[in-house]
Amino acid sequence: MSDNKDYMIHHEDMGTIQISEDVVATIATTTTLEVDGVGGLMNANMADYLGGKKLSAKGVRVELVDGAILVHLFIMIRYGSSVAEVAGKVQSGVYAALKDMTGFEVKAVNVHVGGICFE
């Protein structure tokens, strides 16, 4: 496996499961963009606001904390959409998709609404 990627590692009885953070970020991104009312993901480097680690993908920061996935999503909401409703749908959708597709525990999906877009 490539040395320049970070992997989330889960030890099972039959061996080890390693999933690239890029894969987790892709699942989170795809699920987020499927939610009605999401205008897109933020371009800016929001890691400065959280400190430390860079974004795993555009608008997504993924970490493994205490053996569970922690995701920060930085999104734009379409004008006229309910911010709370859209953010809630993103949060529950990404949580379910990551849990189902990776088998890892999901500690949190934090949604940061950074702006409104007028598409």
Side-chain angles (χ1 to χ4, degrees), residues 15-33:
T16 302
I17 298 172
Q18 296 182 345
I19 301 175
S20 168
E21 286 184 1
D22 292 344
V23 171
V24 175
T26 299
I27 293 167
T29 298
T30 303
T31 304
T32 297
L33 294 175

Side-chain angles (χ1 to χ4, degrees), residues 44-59:
N45 186 1
M46 303 303 270
D48 295 338
Y49 297 109
L50 296 174
K53 196 168 182 184
K54 279 182 64 176
L55 295 175
S56 302
K58 175 186 165 187

Side-chain angles (χ1 to χ4, degrees), residues 14-15 18 24 33 35 37 40 45-46 54 57 63-64 70-73 77-78 90 100-101 105 108 117:
M14 296 179 2
Q18 296 182 345
V24 175
L33 294 175
V35 174
N45 186 1
M46 303 303 270
K54 279 182 64 176
E63 301 177 62
L64 190 63
L70 172 64
V71 178
H72 292 275
L73 296 163
I77 299 288
R78 284 197 184 109
V90 167
D100 291 345
M101 293 178 76
E105 187 63 36
C117 63

Side-chain angles (χ1 to χ4, degrees), residues 37-41 75-81 113-119:
V38 172
L41 294 166
I75 67 170
M76 301 280 289
I77 299 288
R78 284 197 184 109
Y79 180 77
S81 299
V113 179
I116 304 289
C117 63
F118 299 90
E119 296 181 348

Side-chain angles (χ1 to χ4, degrees), residues 68-71 94-96 98-99 102 104-109:
I69 297 172
L70 172 64
V71 178
V94 170
Y95 183 93
L98 289 174
K99 193 164 180 72
T102 67
F104 282 59
E105 187 63 36
V106 180
K107 182 175 179 108
V109 176

